[in-house]
mmCIF file of all heavy atoms in Angstrom:
data_model
loop_
_atom_site.group_PDB
_atom_site.id
_atom_site.type_symbol
_atom_site.label_atom_id
_atom_site.label_comp_id
_atom_site.label_asym_id
_atom_site.label_seq_id
_atom_site.Cartn_x
_atom_site.Cartn_y
_atom_site.Cartn_z
ATOM 1 N N LEU P 64 6.375 10.776 9.959
ATOM 2 C CA LEU P 64 6.831 9.503 10.495
ATOM 3 C C LEU P 64 7.543 8.710 9.407
ATOM 4 O O LEU P 64 7.025 8.545 8.305
ATOM 5 C CB LEU P 64 5.622 8.687 10.988
ATOM 6 C CG LEU P 64 5.061 8.995 12.370
ATOM 7 C CD1 LEU P 64 4.540 10.422 12.463
ATOM 8 C CD2 LEU P 64 3.979 8.008 12.724
ATOM 9 N N ARG P 65 8.724 8.212 9.742
ATOM 10 C CA ARG P 65 9.470 7.381 8.800
ATOM 11 C C ARG P 65 9.525 5.960 9.333
ATOM 12 O O ARG P 65 9.874 5.742 10.500
ATOM 13 C CB ARG P 65 10.871 7.945 8.578
ATOM 14 C CG ARG P 65 10.867 9.274 7.810
ATOM 15 C CD ARG P 65 12.283 9.704 7.446
ATOM 16 N NE ARG P 65 13.050 10.112 8.616
ATOM 17 C CZ ARG P 65 14.369 10.302 8.618
ATOM 18 N NH1 ARG P 65 15.062 10.097 7.520
ATOM 19 N NH2 ARG P 65 14.975 10.710 9.711
ATOM 20 N N LEU P 66 9.213 4.994 8.475
ATOM 21 C CA LEU P 66 9.085 3.602 8.880
ATOM 22 C C LEU P 66 10.448 2.948 9.041
ATOM 23 O O LEU P 66 11.261 2.950 8.101
ATOM 24 C CB LEU P 66 8.245 2.850 7.846
ATOM 25 C CG LEU P 66 7.936 1.395 8.135
ATOM 26 C CD1 LEU P 66 7.092 1.253 9.398
ATOM 27 C CD2 LEU P 66 7.207 0.776 6.943
ATOM 28 N N ILE P 67 10.683 2.363 10.206
ATOM 29 C CA ILE P 67 11.945 1.682 10.471
ATOM 30 C C ILE P 67 11.813 0.188 10.167
ATOM 31 O O ILE P 67 12.564 -0.358 9.353
ATOM 32 C CB ILE P 67 12.378 1.877 11.947
ATOM 33 C CG1 ILE P 67 12.441 3.368 12.304
ATOM 34 C CG2 ILE P 67 13.734 1.216 12.187
ATOM 35 C CD1 ILE P 67 12.691 3.620 13.792
ATOM 36 N N TYR P 68 10.915 -0.474 10.840
ATOM 37 C CA TYR P 68 10.624 -1.890 10.638
ATOM 38 C C TYR P 68 9.129 -2.118 10.833
ATOM 39 O O TYR P 68 8.464 -1.367 11.541
ATOM 40 C CB TYR P 68 11.373 -2.760 11.661
ATOM 41 C CG TYR P 68 12.746 -3.212 11.259
ATOM 42 C CD1 TYR P 68 13.873 -2.511 11.690
ATOM 43 C CD2 TYR P 68 12.938 -4.342 10.467
ATOM 44 C CE1 TYR P 68 15.158 -2.924 11.332
ATOM 45 C CE2 TYR P 68 14.224 -4.762 10.108
ATOM 46 C CZ TYR P 68 15.313 -4.050 10.549
ATOM 47 O OH TYR P 68 16.578 -4.463 10.201
ATOM 48 N N TYR P 69 8.620 -3.180 10.204
ATOM 49 C CA TYR P 69 7.266 -3.603 10.494
ATOM 50 C C TYR P 69 7.198 -5.121 10.472
ATOM 51 O O TYR P 69 8.035 -5.785 9.856
ATOM 52 C CB TYR P 69 6.243 -2.982 9.540
ATOM 53 C CG TYR P 69 6.350 -3.408 8.095
ATOM 54 C CD1 TYR P 69 5.443 -4.309 7.543
ATOM 55 C CD2 TYR P 69 7.321 -2.862 7.261
ATOM 56 C CE1 TYR P 69 5.518 -4.670 6.203
ATOM 57 C CE2 TYR P 69 7.405 -3.217 5.927
ATOM 58 C CZ TYR P 69 6.515 -4.113 5.399
ATOM 59 O OH TYR P 69 6.589 -4.474 4.074
ATOM 60 N N SER P 70 6.187 -5.629 11.166
ATOM 61 C CA SER P 70 6.028 -7.073 11.296
ATOM 62 C C SER P 70 4.562 -7.415 11.033
ATOM 63 O O SER P 70 3.677 -6.832 11.643
ATOM 64 C CB SER P 70 6.431 -7.519 12.708
ATOM 65 O OG SER P 70 6.038 -8.857 12.946
ATOM 66 N N GLN P 71 4.347 -8.350 10.135
ATOM 67 C CA GLN P 71 2.976 -8.737 9.792
ATOM 68 C C GLN P 71 2.488 -9.877 10.675
ATOM 69 O O GLN P 71 1.271 -10.086 10.810
ATOM 70 C CB GLN P 71 2.890 -9.152 8.327
ATOM 71 C CG GLN P 71 3.267 -8.018 7.371
ATOM 72 C CD GLN P 71 3.019 -8.377 5.917
ATOM 73 O OE1 GLN P 71 2.562 -7.553 5.145
ATOM 74 N NE2 GLN P 71 3.330 -9.602 5.527
ATOM 75 N N ILE P 72 3.440 -10.619 11.261
ATOM 76 C CA ILE P 72 3.062 -11.794 12.043
ATOM 77 C C ILE P 72 4.250 -12.187 12.909
ATOM 78 O O ILE P 72 5.392 -11.765 12.643
ATOM 79 C CB ILE P 72 2.643 -12.943 11.111
ATOM 80 C CG1 ILE P 72 1.794 -13.973 11.849
ATOM 81 C CG2 ILE P 72 3.837 -13.560 10.416
ATOM 82 C CD1 ILE P 72 1.102 -14.949 10.923
ATOM 83 N N VAL P 73 4.002 -12.990 13.906
ATOM 84 C CA VAL P 73 5.078 -13.431 14.807
ATOM 85 C C VAL P 73 6.190 -14.119 14.010
ATOM 86 O O VAL P 73 5.933 -14.841 13.050
ATOM 87 C CB VAL P 73 4.505 -14.394 15.868
ATOM 88 C CG1 VAL P 73 5.620 -14.980 16.728
ATOM 89 C CG2 VAL P 73 3.498 -13.686 16.745
ATOM 90 N N ASN P 74 7.423 -13.864 14.435
ATOM 91 C CA ASN P 74 8.632 -14.455 13.838
ATOM 92 C C ASN P 74 8.886 -13.992 12.404
ATOM 93 O O ASN P 74 9.630 -14.648 11.664
ATOM 94 C CB ASN P 74 8.591 -15.987 13.886
ATOM 95 C CG ASN P 74 8.675 -16.523 15.296
ATOM 96 O OD1 ASN P 74 9.403 -15.975 16.129
ATOM 97 N ND2 ASN P 74 7.925 -17.566 15.590
ATOM 98 N N ASP P 75 8.275 -12.870 12.020
ATOM 99 C CA ASP P 75 8.504 -12.307 10.689
ATOM 100 C C ASP P 75 8.531 -10.800 10.802
ATOM 101 O O ASP P 75 7.697 -10.208 11.498
ATOM 102 C CB ASP P 75 7.405 -12.732 9.722
ATOM 103 C CG ASP P 75 7.619 -12.131 8.339
ATOM 104 O OD1 ASP P 75 8.568 -12.548 7.646
ATOM 105 O OD2 ASP P 75 6.854 -11.232 7.964
ATOM 106 N N PHE P 76 9.506 -10.163 10.137
ATOM 107 C CA PHE P 76 9.520 -8.706 10.098
ATOM 108 C C PHE P 76 10.227 -8.253 8.825
ATOM 109 O O PHE P 76 11.004 -9.001 8.223
ATOM 110 C CB PHE P 76 10.191 -8.108 11.348
ATOM 111 C CG PHE P 76 11.531 -8.710 11.714
ATOM 112 C CD1 PHE P 76 12.699 -8.285 11.083
ATOM 113 C CD2 PHE P 76 11.621 -9.691 12.687
ATOM 114 C CE1 PHE P 76 13.928 -8.829 11.428
ATOM 115 C CE2 PHE P 76 12.839 -10.238 13.037
ATOM 116 C CZ PHE P 76 13.996 -9.811 12.400
ATOM 117 N N GLN P 77 9.911 -7.032 8.419
ATOM 118 C CA GLN P 77 10.424 -6.471 7.178
ATOM 119 C C GLN P 77 11.083 -5.122 7.443
ATOM 120 O O GLN P 77 10.618 -4.358 8.297
ATOM 121 C CB GLN P 77 9.285 -6.263 6.171
ATOM 122 C CG GLN P 77 8.415 -7.481 5.935
ATOM 123 C CD GLN P 77 9.171 -8.612 5.284
ATOM 124 O OE1 GLN P 77 10.068 -8.375 4.468
ATOM 125 N NE2 GLN P 77 8.817 -9.851 5.626
ATOM 126 N N LYS P 78 12.140 -4.825 6.686
ATOM 127 C CA LYS P 78 12.755 -3.505 6.782
ATOM 128 C C LYS P 78 11.821 -2.454 6.197
ATOM 129 O O LYS P 78 11.167 -2.684 5.185
ATOM 130 C CB LYS P 78 14.079 -3.489 6.028
ATOM 131 C CG LYS P 78 15.172 -4.327 6.674
ATOM 132 C CD LYS P 78 16.476 -4.194 5.899
ATOM 133 C CE LYS P 78 17.576 -5.013 6.563
ATOM 134 N NZ LYS P 78 18.862 -4.900 5.818
ATOM 135 N N GLY P 79 11.819 -1.299 6.848
ATOM 136 C CA GLY P 79 11.112 -0.154 6.305
ATOM 137 C C GLY P 79 12.069 0.694 5.493
ATOM 138 O O GLY P 79 13.017 0.198 4.897
ATOM 139 N N ASP P 80 11.843 1.988 5.534
ATOM 140 C CA ASP P 80 12.623 2.901 4.697
ATOM 141 C C ASP P 80 13.962 3.323 5.318
ATOM 142 O O ASP P 80 14.855 3.757 4.609
ATOM 143 C CB ASP P 80 11.788 4.152 4.400
ATOM 144 C CG ASP P 80 10.495 3.808 3.675
ATOM 145 O OD1 ASP P 80 10.548 3.014 2.718
ATOM 146 O OD2 ASP P 80 9.436 4.321 4.080
ATOM 147 N N ILE P 81 14.092 3.186 6.644
ATOM 148 C CA ILE P 81 15.313 3.663 7.311
ATOM 149 C C ILE P 81 15.799 2.647 8.342
ATOM 150 O O ILE P 81 16.061 2.960 9.473
ATOM 151 C CB ILE P 81 15.092 5.040 7.975
ATOM 152 C CG1 ILE P 81 13.910 5.004 8.948
ATOM 153 C CG2 ILE P 81 14.869 6.130 6.936
ATOM 154 C CD1 ILE P 81 13.868 6.205 9.884
ATOM 155 N N ALA P 82 15.946 1.379 7.935
ATOM 156 C CA ALA P 82 16.281 0.304 8.871
ATOM 157 C C ALA P 82 17.740 0.282 9.313
ATOM 158 O O ALA P 82 18.068 -0.342 10.324
ATOM 159 C CB ALA P 82 15.912 -1.033 8.235
ATOM 160 N N GLU P 83 18.625 0.935 8.593
ATOM 161 C CA GLU P 83 20.058 0.855 8.920
ATOM 162 C C GLU P 83 20.328 1.396 10.316
ATOM 163 O O GLU P 83 19.916 2.499 10.673
ATOM 164 C CB GLU P 83 20.874 1.632 7.897
ATOM 165 C CG GLU P 83 22.373 1.483 8.091
ATOM 166 C CD GLU P 83 23.191 2.132 6.984
ATOM 167 O OE1 GLU P 83 22.594 2.551 5.973
ATOM 168 O OE2 GLU P 83 24.413 2.231 7.142
ATOM 169 N N GLY P 84 21.060 0.580 11.121
ATOM 170 C CA GLY P 84 21.393 0.995 12.471
ATOM 171 C C GLY P 84 20.370 0.574 13.515
ATOM 172 O O GLY P 84 20.517 0.891 14.697
ATOM 173 N N TYR P 85 19.338 -0.138 13.083
ATOM 174 C CA TYR P 85 18.287 -0.611 13.977
ATOM 175 C C TYR P 85 18.112 -2.118 13.815
ATOM 176 O O TYR P 85 18.416 -2.672 12.768
ATOM 177 C CB TYR P 85 16.946 0.057 13.663
ATOM 178 C CG TYR P 85 16.930 1.557 13.780
ATOM 179 C CD1 TYR P 85 17.104 2.359 12.661
ATOM 180 C CD2 TYR P 85 16.717 2.179 15.007
ATOM 181 C CE1 TYR P 85 17.087 3.735 12.750
ATOM 182 C CE2 TYR P 85 16.688 3.560 15.114
ATOM 183 C CZ TYR P 85 16.876 4.334 13.982
ATOM 184 O OH TYR P 85 16.849 5.709 14.088
ATOM 185 N N SER P 86 17.612 -2.772 14.866
ATOM 186 C CA SER P 86 17.235 -4.174 14.760
ATOM 187 C C SER P 86 15.980 -4.411 15.587
ATOM 188 O O SER P 86 15.686 -3.664 16.527
ATOM 189 C CB SER P 86 18.372 -5.096 15.236
ATOM 190 O OG SER P 86 18.607 -4.921 16.616
ATOM 191 N N VAL P 87 15.226 -5.459 15.211
ATOM 192 C CA VAL P 87 13.990 -5.787 15.911
ATOM 193 C C VAL P 87 13.897 -7.295 16.076
ATOM 194 O O VAL P 87 14.646 -8.053 15.469
ATOM 195 C CB VAL P 87 12.739 -5.298 15.151
ATOM 196 C CG1 VAL P 87 12.665 -3.779 15.115
ATOM 197 C CG2 VAL P 87 12.688 -5.893 13.756
ATOM 198 N N SER P 88 12.954 -7.715 16.909
ATOM 199 C CA SER P 88 12.600 -9.123 17.029
ATOM 200 C C SER P 88 11.095 -9.193 17.237
ATOM 201 O O SER P 88 10.474 -8.243 17.710
ATOM 202 C CB SER P 88 13.344 -9.786 18.180
ATOM 203 O OG SER P 88 12.980 -9.194 19.412
ATOM 204 N N ARG P 89 10.506 -10.339 16.869
ATOM 205 C CA ARG P 89 9.066 -10.532 17.083
ATOM 206 C C ARG P 89 8.863 -11.990 17.499
ATOM 207 O O ARG P 89 8.358 -12.813 16.762
ATOM 208 C CB ARG P 89 8.284 -10.222 15.804
ATOM 209 C CG ARG P 89 6.781 -10.242 16.028
ATOM 210 C CD ARG P 89 6.234 -8.982 16.546
ATOM 211 N NE ARG P 89 4.843 -9.039 16.908
ATOM 212 C CZ ARG P 89 3.806 -8.940 16.056
ATOM 213 N NH1 ARG P 89 4.024 -8.828 14.759
ATOM 214 N NH2 ARG P 89 2.581 -8.973 16.513
ATOM 215 N N GLU P 90 9.262 -12.268 18.731
ATOM 216 C CA GLU P 90 9.170 -13.635 19.263
ATOM 217 C C GLU P 90 7.802 -13.916 19.845
ATOM 218 O O GLU P 90 7.388 -15.074 19.955
ATOM 219 C CB GLU P 90 10.268 -13.858 20.297
ATOM 220 C CG GLU P 90 11.673 -13.746 19.721
ATOM 221 C CD GLU P 90 12.757 -13.878 20.788
ATOM 222 O OE1 GLU P 90 12.409 -14.024 21.977
ATOM 223 O OE2 GLU P 90 13.948 -13.807 20.428
ATOM 224 N N LYS P 91 7.104 -12.870 20.233
ATOM 225 C CA LYS P 91 5.759 -13.000 20.782
ATOM 226 C C LYS P 91 4.829 -12.032 20.061
ATOM 227 O O LYS P 91 5.245 -10.948 19.646
ATOM 228 C CB LYS P 91 5.751 -12.686 22.273
ATOM 229 C CG LYS P 91 6.578 -13.603 23.127
ATOM 230 C CD LYS P 91 6.361 -13.308 24.623
ATOM 231 C CE LYS P 91 6.698 -11.889 24.976
ATOM 232 N NZ LYS P 91 6.515 -11.615 26.427
ATOM 233 N N LYS P 92 3.583 -12.394 19.958
ATOM 234 C CA LYS P 92 2.607 -11.547 19.278
ATOM 235 C C LYS P 92 2.491 -10.187 19.957
ATOM 236 O O LYS P 92 2.300 -9.162 19.306
ATOM 237 C CB LYS P 92 1.241 -12.232 19.272
ATOM 238 C CG LYS P 92 0.182 -11.552 18.434
ATOM 239 C CD LYS P 92 -1.083 -12.401 18.408
ATOM 240 C CE LYS P 92 -2.093 -11.815 17.448
ATOM 241 N NZ LYS P 92 -3.302 -12.670 17.352
ATOM 242 N N GLU P 93 2.638 -10.171 21.285
ATOM 243 C CA GLU P 93 2.399 -8.960 22.052
ATOM 244 C C GLU P 93 3.565 -7.987 22.042
ATOM 245 O O GLU P 93 3.411 -6.836 22.421
ATOM 246 C CB GLU P 93 2.101 -9.318 23.510
ATOM 247 C CG GLU P 93 0.917 -10.244 23.719
ATOM 248 C CD GLU P 93 1.256 -11.699 23.450
ATOM 249 O OE1 GLU P 93 2.464 -12.042 23.406
ATOM 250 O OE2 GLU P 93 0.321 -12.495 23.269
ATOM 251 N N SER P 94 4.748 -8.428 21.636
ATOM 252 C CA SER P 94 5.950 -7.645 21.871
ATOM 253 C C SER P 94 6.758 -7.422 20.601
ATOM 254 O O SER P 94 6.953 -8.357 19.808
ATOM 255 C CB SER P 94 6.814 -8.371 22.919
ATOM 256 O OG SER P 94 8.001 -7.667 23.168
ATOM 257 N N PHE P 95 7.264 -6.206 20.432
ATOM 258 C CA PHE P 95 8.052 -5.869 19.235
ATOM 259 C C PHE P 95 9.135 -4.871 19.652
ATOM 260 O O PHE P 95 9.070 -3.680 19.331
ATOM 261 C CB PHE P 95 7.122 -5.278 18.181
ATOM 262 C CG PHE P 95 7.720 -5.133 16.797
ATOM 263 C CD1 PHE P 95 8.537 -6.114 16.246
ATOM 264 C CD2 PHE P 95 7.434 -4.010 16.014
ATOM 265 C CE1 PHE P 95 9.053 -5.994 14.964
ATOM 266 C CE2 PHE P 95 7.948 -3.876 14.729
ATOM 267 C CZ PHE P 95 8.760 -4.870 14.216
ATOM 268 N N PRO P 96 10.172 -5.310 20.358
ATOM 269 C CA PRO P 96 11.212 -4.381 20.820
ATOM 270 C C PRO P 96 12.118 -3.905 19.690
ATOM 271 O O PRO P 96 12.401 -4.645 18.748
ATOM 272 C CB PRO P 96 12.001 -5.227 21.831
ATOM 273 C CG PRO P 96 11.761 -6.643 21.400
ATOM 274 C CD PRO P 96 10.382 -6.681 20.822
#
Side-chain angles (χ1 to χ4, degrees):
Chain P
L64 278 62
R65 291 188 290 168
L66 183 63
I67 305 173
Y68 271 97
Y69 66 105
S70 168
Q71 299 187 140
I72 200 167
V73 174
N74 293 322
D75 179 70
F76 49 82
Q77 308 295 326
K78 291 183 179 180
D80 300 314
I81 55 165
E83 186 174 351
Y85 300 97
S86 66
V87 293
S88 63
R89 187 84 187 279
E90 297 176 358
K91 298 187 302 181
K92 188 175 187 177
E93 302 80 16
S94 179
F95 192 41

